[in-house]
Amino acid sequence: MTAIRIDGKAMAEQVRADVATGVAELKATHGVTPGLAVVLVGEDPASEVYVRNKIKQTEACGMTSFHHVLSKDTTRESLLRLIRSLNEDPEVHGILVQLPLPGHLDAKDVIESIDPAKDVDGFHTANVGELWTEGQPFVPCTPLGCLKLLKSVCPDIAGKHAVVIGRSNIVGRPMAALLLNESATVTIAHSKTDDLPGLCRQADILVAAVGRPQMVKADWIKPGAVVLDVGINRIEDDAGQSKLVGDVDFDAALSVAGAVTPVPGGPGPMTIACLLANTLEAAKRSVA
Ligand code: NAD
């Protein structure tokens, strides 16, 4: 069997095109331009690249991008003051504070200060609660992107056994909630799970969100399963060149799975696309 290679780059392009159409409609009908504010504290090079990408893609969709860079020594008070002003700014519909934050700032404390109606990352406990109670959440962008990728090859998720490896607040837990809301039978695995390979072999849908290069081997995968690989790991190849790989042994998985996402080019590109979709949704809700 050769698995379908799920193309996250192509689907992200489609999501961005749909967002651009939605933005143009909102401008035409309500005179509202969706605005996304990104707050970066400190000088983490990986975060800077990611933030630059966000700004470029936000503007390409016709939205306004507000960019705030604060020094790594910024106090809790001045960060919360900025967030309060963004909460009150009618031109800002989405607020994203880039994580990780410098050690003296508590991410939970900062996230809780964001107006849940502008929490387009979906990390505020109000949105987490909405997600787990089948309400109207903003859903964290990476799991939301994974669900869209999954539906492209597996429209009928109900009754399937989904195993999610990883229980982080950013990926594993919200992914499990989304799958549960689609009526999958969900198992959450983590670092203390016994017989992880045996558990994974029972999965019709396998999501790997761990951060361990190529941990999931071909013989962990049920023949025909859909495998979503969220992991992003940098390793050295045999020639000593640095390259990105996921948590799944992709080449081996191709011979067993029904469909599998590559790294790069899987859930990664979908994350920013879903952030833009969430920002458009926040702007629409603001005029509803
Ligand atoms: P995290 O470190 O917060 O969580 C990792 C999880 O893996 C934990 O819940 C832990 O219990 C589990 N785990 C660790 N070792 C394990 C083991 N041996 N067996 C089973 N479970 C184990 O990480 P995260 O933020 O959830 O990110 C996970 C991966 O996804 C990372 O590689 C990260 O870079 C990537 N990521 C990608 C995107 C994207 O846009 N594609 C977004 C977020 C995270």
Side-chain angles (χ1 to χ4, degrees):
M1 181 188 294
T2 299
I4 298 168
R5 195 178 183 281
I6 305 171
D7 189 344
K9 214 170 149 211
M11 185 166 286
E13 258 172 46
Q14 185 57 54
V15 172
R16 287 198 302 270
D18 292 346
V19 169
T21 305
V23 169
E25 276 170 17
L26 195 64
K27 282 184 191 175
T29 54
H30 291 82
V32 168
T33 302
L36 174 64
V38 175
V39 180
L40 180 62
V41 186
E43 287 144 17
D44 178 49
S47 295
E48 280 173 2
V49 172
Y50 190 53
V51 165
R52 263 203 306 277
N53 249 329
K54 278 177 192 161
I55 294 169
K56 211 166 91 191
Q57 294 188 27
T58 305
E59 290 172 352
C61 286
M63 300 191 196
T64 309
S65 175
F66 303 93
H67 186 200
H68 297 268
V69 183
L70 305 180
S71 89
K72 64 178 188 333
D73 307 318
T74 298
T75 61
R76 172 181 184 270
E77 287 64 37
S78 53
L79 178 55
L80 295 192
R81 198 177 318 118
L82 170 64
I83 292 174
R84 262 197 308 280
S85 74
L86 296 173
N87 283 342
E88 284 159 16
D89 186 339
E91 289 187 16
V92 172
H93 302 94
I95 302 170
L96 180 147
V97 178
Q98 185 65 43
L99 302 178
L101 290 169
H104 67 286
L105 295 167
D106 175 19
K108 189 165 167 41
D109 176 42
V110 173
I111 288 163
E112 291 303 303
S113 74
I114 298 172
D115 178 350
K118 297 189 178 188
D119 169 41
V120 286
D121 248 346
F123 295 160
H124 192 290
T125 48
N127 281 311
V128 176
E130 288 288 305
L131 178 61
W132 283 98
T133 54
E134 294 184 273
Q136 299 286 313
F138 286 108
V139 177
C141 304
T142 301
L144 182 58
C146 285
L147 185 67
K148 288 183 197 289
L149 293 172
L150 172 61
K151 284 186 169 173
S152 73
V153 292
C154 177
D156 194 8
I157 298 168
K160 300 266 188 326
H161 184 197
V163 172
V164 179
I165 321 173
R167 56 178 162 182
S168 72
N169 292 328
I170 293 174
V171 190
R173 284 170 203 250
M175 187 73 237
L178 280 176
L179 290 163
L180 184 61
N181 291 351
E182 295 287 336
S183 299
T185 302
V186 183
T187 306
I188 306 176
H190 46 78
S191 53
K192 306 280 186 226
T193 296
D194 273 343
D195 187 18
L196 185 61
L199 182 65
C200 291
R201 274 193 288 275
Q202 298 170 30
D204 305 305
I205 298 162
L206 181 60
V207 183
V210 182
R212 291 188 166 239
Q214 300 169 320
M215 182 182 84
V216 175
K217 307 297 178 201
D219 65 357
W220 294 28
I221 298 170
K222 180 175 174 179
V226 180
V227 180
L228 301 167
D229 187 357
V230 182
I232 301 178
N233 311 287
R234 192 164 284 283
I235 61 163
E236 266 190 16
D237 66 13
D238 297 339
Q241 299 291 317
S242 153
K243 68 167 185 172
L244 289 183
V245 296
D247 290 342
V248 176
D249 184 348
F250 179 75
D251 291 336
L254 281 175
S255 61
V256 187
V260 56
T261 58
V263 176
M270 287 295 283
T271 297
I272 297 185
C274 289
L275 173 71
L276 303 177
N278 279 353
T279 305
L280 172 61
E281 174 62 20
K284 282 183 178 172
R285 289 188 195 179
S286 77
V287 296

